[in-house]
Each structure stands twice: as structure tokens, then as C-alpha cells.
């Protein structure tokens, strides 16, 4: 169990905030416009411990818990949701999957490179025709002696083109069998493993999203994570933590949009006074602040369960659902408060508005979160 003091969290918050203001904010507009994935920035973040937050120090990580992790993502996302998304995906998906289910040899080989930012990680579950319905995946890994031969494709993969290593979930058994999928570690440069199309997105444009294509890709059985047939079960556990990270990402976007709207409402004058003094605006800001506070409490509670080693499936889904919908609602209201200027790229809320929507889709849509929550409630969890 990891317990972080408030003073410690404050230092972490200040470090992440200073980094975001110094190294991210000056480039936000350019990275978004040109859809640049700033790889050098991520190597730099590795030196700050932002890419191995949950990784123990013995593997080159920061050895921190979920409260610190939430804090770091939140502070980065206040400035740029796209960079926050990539930090979240690198930490909670690829890196955490190896940390959680890798053997000692795999951990010592890959975690130091991922935690220090020497390598960027990707995680491949989604396919062109299987999003929420992951059990119907068509990417297959067929055993051939001491090797597996992989054929198929994954899409909507964060760092699908630039990641030096990926955790891939492929079918090794029968279709629709939850024990018919396995997880593998695959390095970039492996013959038969190639990057496909890079997506041109509405938002989160500085976070690379691309296809991963496998054509007779042969990998040794030593690259299997855990046992054959455990890949889907592992993935569901990884998503519990991943949903907390998306909740933190959503919080950061919401807080960034709220701060911009609050400042604008103080400065913008109409009919001889700041628009903050009009009830229509002040009540809107009050609703935004309340939603953010509620989302924060849910997210922090889910993080506490993870730090205590307790099951967090329901709370992670609740936090992800509520925080992501809050990010959309708050950024929408922020654009409304800015009026016509909110629709202009020179002002920050336009980007928060575009970035927020992905939070209700990635790592399980809002509808899937409701399904997870309702099933947990029916089980009495």
C-alpha cells in the first residue's frame, strides 16, 4: 500500500505544473495545428519521473502511487489534454501491463526503458471492427514451435507508429472465449510488425493515434505476458487503472477550461460591468465548479482503492464516466462564456472543447462504463 502525504503531493503538483507551463504551453497551438507528436518532450518527461510514475524504483521508476499519478496527469492536462493523454496511455496501459503481469526478466528488460522515457510504449486491444466488443477480435497468434505467428491489425492505438514497444492482445483460442486471447510484448523493428495509417483527429491532435499491422510477425514464446489465454482477463484489470487515468485527464481538461472561463468572465465587460457579475454567467461557473469537485472526489476515491490494493472496477468506471462527461460539459460551458471568442483558436477553450470528447470514448465509452457499473451493482459490489 502506498500512502502519499499532502506535502509530498503538493511538491509533485508543483513540479508537474512548472514543467507544463515551461515546456508544453509555448507549443500547444503549433502541436495541435500540425498534429505533431513531441517525442523529445516525452524523453524529457522521463527524466522527471512522469513516464514511470507507478513503476518501483528498482526498475527505474518513480515508485509513486495513484494519488501522485492523478495529480501529474491532471496538471499536464490543464495545459494540453493531448500530452496528458499520451502520458496516461504510456503509464497505465503498456508500462503497467508489463509491471502487473510480466515476469522478472521481462520487467528488468523493458520497465527501465519505459520508465525513463528512453522508449515510448503502445497498447493494442482495439481493432477496426471490434471496439467495445473486444472478444470478437480478428488479430490472431498461432503457435509454431517456440514461436507465435501473428496476423491482423489494431487501430486507434496511441503511439501506434512511434512507440518502440507494444503490448498486443491477440486471439490464441476460439472466438468469443474470454480465455482465448493472450498478451504479448512486441518490439518495433520485429519483421512483420509495421505502422499503418496515422489518424487525422478532431482533438487530442498532439497525441499520436495510428494503426499497428502484423503480417506473419514471428515472436518467441518468451514474449508472452503471463500464460496463454490470460490476455483478455489481464486487459480488463489494466483498464481499471486506465480508467482512473482518463478520469484524471478529464479533470485536468475541465479545470483548464474552467480557469480560462473564470479569468475571462472577470475581464470581459458588457453593459458596463464584468460578465462575472451577471447571474447567468456566475451560476454557470458555480455549476462547473460543483461538477469538477464531484468528479475529483470520485477519481481520488478510486485512486485510493488502487493504492490500498482493493478492487476498484466499479469506482474506476464511475470516476471515468462522471469525470469525462464533466469535461465535455465544462468545456462546452466555457466556450459559451467566451461567446464568439470561444470559437476562435487564439483562445484556449476551443481546444479544451475538442479534446474533451475523446475522454467519453477512449478506454471504454460512457455507455460501457454504465454497463460495468450496473453489473457491479447487481453483484452487490
Amino acid at each position: 500500500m502506498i500512502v502519499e502525504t499532502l506535502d509530498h503531493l503538493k511538491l509533485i503538483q508543483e513540479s508537474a505544473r512548472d514543467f507544463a507551463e515551461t515546456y508544453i504551453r509555448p507549443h500547444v497551438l503549433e502541436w495541435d495545428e500540425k498534429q505533431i507528436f513531441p517525442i523529445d518532450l516525452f524523453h524529457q518527461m522521463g527524466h522527471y519521473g512522469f513516464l514511470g510514475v507507478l513503476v518501483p524504483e528498482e526498475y527505474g521508476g518513480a515508485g509513486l502511487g495513484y494519488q501522485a499519478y492523478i495529480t501529474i496527469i491532471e496538471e499536464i492536462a490543464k495545459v494540453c489534454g493531448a500530452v496528458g493523454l499520451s502520458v496516461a496511455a504510456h503509464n497505465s496501459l503498456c508500462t503497467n501491463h508489463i509491471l502487473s503481469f510480466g515476469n522478472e526478466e521481462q520487467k528488468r528488460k523493458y520497465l527501465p526503458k519505459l520508465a525513463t522515457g528512453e522508449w515510448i510504449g503502445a497498447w493494442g486491444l482495439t481493432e477496426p471492427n471490434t471496439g467495445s466488443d473486444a472478444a470478437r477480435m480478428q488479430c490472431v497468434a498461432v503457435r509454431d514451435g517456440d514461436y507465435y505467428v501473428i496476423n491482423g491489425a489494431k487501430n486507434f492505438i496511441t503511439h501506434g507508429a512511434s512507440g518502440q514497444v507494444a503490448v498486443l492482445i491477440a486471439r490464441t483460442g476460439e472466438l468469443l472465449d474470454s480465455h482465448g486471447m493472450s498478451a504479448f510484448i512486441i518490439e518495433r523493428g520485429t519483421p512483420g510488425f509495421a505502422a499503418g495509417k496515422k489518424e487525422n483527429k478532431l482533438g487530442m491532435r498532439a497525441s499520436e493515434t495510428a494503426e499497428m499491422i502484423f503480417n506473419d510477425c514471428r515472436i518467441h514464446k518468451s514474449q508472452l505476458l503471463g500464460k496463454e489465454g490470460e490476455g483478455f482477463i489481464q486487459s480488463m484489470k489494466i483498464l481499471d487503472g486506465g480508467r482512473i487515468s482518463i478520469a484524471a485527464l478529464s479533470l485536468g481538461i475541465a479545470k483548464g477550461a474552467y480557469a480560462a472561463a473564470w479569468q475571462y468572465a472577470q475581464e470581459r465587460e458588457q453593459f458596463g460591468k464584468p460578465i462575472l457579475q451577471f447571474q447567468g454567467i456566475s451560476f454557470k461557473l458555480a455549476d462547473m465548479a460543483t461538477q469538477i469537485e464531484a468528479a475529483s472526489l470520485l477519481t481520488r476515491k478510486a485512486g485510493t482503492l488502487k493504492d490500498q490494493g482493493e478492487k476498484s472496477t466499479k469506482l474506476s468506471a464511475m470516476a471515468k464516466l462522471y469525470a469525462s462527461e464533466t469535461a465535455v460539459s465544462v468545456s462546452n460551458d466555457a466556450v459559451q462564456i467566451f461567446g464568439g471568442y470561444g470559437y476562435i483558436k487564439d483562445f484556449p477553450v476551443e481546444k479544451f472543447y475538442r479534446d474533451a470528447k475523446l475522454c467519453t470514448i477512449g478506454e471504454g465509452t460512457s455507455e460501457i462504463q454504465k454497463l460495468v457499473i450496473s453489473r457491479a451493482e447487481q453483484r452487490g459490489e
Side-chain angles (χ1 to χ4, degrees):
M1 182 174 73
I2 298 175
V3 178
E4 287 146 344
T5 65
L6 290 177
D7 286 343
H8 190 204
L9 283 176
K10 186 176 180 181
L11 288 173
I12 292 169
Q13 181 184 41
E14 291 173 352
S15 175
R17 181 180 296 164
D18 290 346
F19 183 92
E21 291 293 337
T22 303
Y23 299 108
I24 299 176
R25 190 176 294 280
H27 309 288
V28 168
L29 185 60
E30 178 189 5
W31 291 343
D32 181 72
E33 285 284 336
K34 297 180 180 179
Q35 205 164 214
I36 295 171
F37 175 53
I39 295 178
D40 289 343
L41 175 79
F42 282 80
H43 296 323
Q44 191 174 6
M45 281 195 286
H47 296 304
Y48 280 75
F50 298 158
L51 298 187
V53 182
L54 304 171
V55 176
E57 293 180 21
E58 63 180 298
Y59 300 119
L64 300 172
Y66 270 84
Q67 297 303 329
Y69 181 42
I70 291 167
T71 299
I72 290 167
I73 294 177
E74 190 179 302
E75 289 301 319
I76 292 172
K78 283 180 184 177
V79 175
C80 179
V83 175
L85 172 62
S86 277
V87 172
H90 174 92
N91 274 282
S92 66
L93 299 180
C94 178
T95 305
N96 197 40
H97 200 138
I98 296 172
L99 174 64
S100 299
F101 298 105
N103 57 38
E104 192 61 25
E105 182 180 352
Q106 291 168 336
K107 290 178 183 179
R108 294 201 176 277
K109 181 177 181 179
Y110 293 107
L111 290 180
K113 292 181 179 181
L114 288 164
T116 59
E118 180 182 348
W119 280 12
I120 305 299
W123 192 74
L125 178 65
T126 303
E127 298 183 3
N129 294 312
T130 57
S132 301
D133 190 10
R136 294 182 189 272
M137 67 174 56
Q138 299 298 311
C139 184
V140 297
V142 178
R143 187 72 180 263
D144 181 19
D146 288 340
Y147 290 82
Y148 285 89
V149 180
I150 302 173
N151 282 284
K154 299 290 180 177
N155 75 331
F156 299 149
I157 307 303
T158 305
H159 315 144
S162 296
Q164 288 90 347
V165 63
V167 171
L168 169 75
I169 294 83
R171 185 157 57 83
T172 50
E174 296 299 317
L175 197 69
L176 301 180
D177 181 2
S178 62
H179 294 281
M181 290 160 276
S182 303
F184 302 90
I185 304 173
I186 303 182
E187 295 182 27
R188 186 72 60 183
T190 302
F193 174 25
K197 176 187 176 184
K198 179 180 176 179
E199 303 295 346
N200 187 11
K201 300 177 296 182
L202 168 72
M204 301 292 196
R205 291 172 57 82
S207 178
E208 178 188 89
T209 302
E211 292 178 314
M212 297 194 303
I213 299 172
F214 302 91
N215 184 15
D216 290 334
C217 179
R218 291 175 64 87
I219 59 170
H220 194 264
K221 63 181 181 180
S222 62
Q223 298 301 99
L224 178 68
L225 273 165
K227 297 179 181 179
E228 185 174 305
E230 294 180 341
F232 184 75
I233 307 302
Q234 292 173 6
S235 298
M236 294 304 101
K237 293 178 180 178
I238 291 301
L239 286 173
D240 283 349
R243 286 164 181 165
I244 294 174
S245 70
I246 298 300
L249 174 67
S250 303
L251 263 178
I253 291 171
K255 287 186 175 183
Y258 176 79
W262 177 267
Q263 181 177 349
Y264 183 79
Q266 288 180 303
E267 297 171 352
R268 173 70 166 173
E269 290 191 1
Q270 292 287 274
F271 305 102
K273 59 183 178 180
I275 62 173
L276 181 63
Q277 295 181 19
F278 292 98
Q279 189 179 80
I281 300 299
S282 64
F283 277 19
K284 192 180 292 291
L285 287 163
D287 286 338
M288 294 159 73
T290 302
Q291 291 171 39
I292 289 170
E293 186 66 20
S296 180
L297 290 170
L298 265 176
T299 304
R300 293 289 176 179
K301 185 174 181 180
T304 297
L305 289 180
K306 289 291 288 184
D307 281 339
Q308 292 175 342
E310 298 181 22
K311 187 174 183 179
S312 68
T313 302
K314 184 175 78 171
L315 260 296
S316 294
M318 286 179 167
K320 198 270 188 187
L321 170 65
Y322 191 80
S324 64
E325 294 293 345
T326 292
V328 171
S329 174
V330 168
S331 60
N332 179 65
D333 284 343
V335 170
Q336 196 70 18
I337 288 170
F338 269 77
Y341 291 110
Y343 212 65
I344 305 299
K345 287 184 179 290
D346 292 339
F347 293 83
V349 292
E350 178 269 347
K351 183 177 181 297
F352 286 126
Y353 182 72
R354 287 185 290 108
D355 286 349
K357 187 57 192 171
L358 187 277
C359 297
T360 70
I361 299 170
E363 297 195 32
T365 62
S366 291
E367 291 74 19
I368 289 295
Q369 305 313 311
K370 292 177 182 180
L371 185 63
V372 171
I373 295 163
S374 63
R375 286 179 176 174
E377 286 289 304
Q378 291 168 29
R379 292 191 299 266
E381 296 177 357

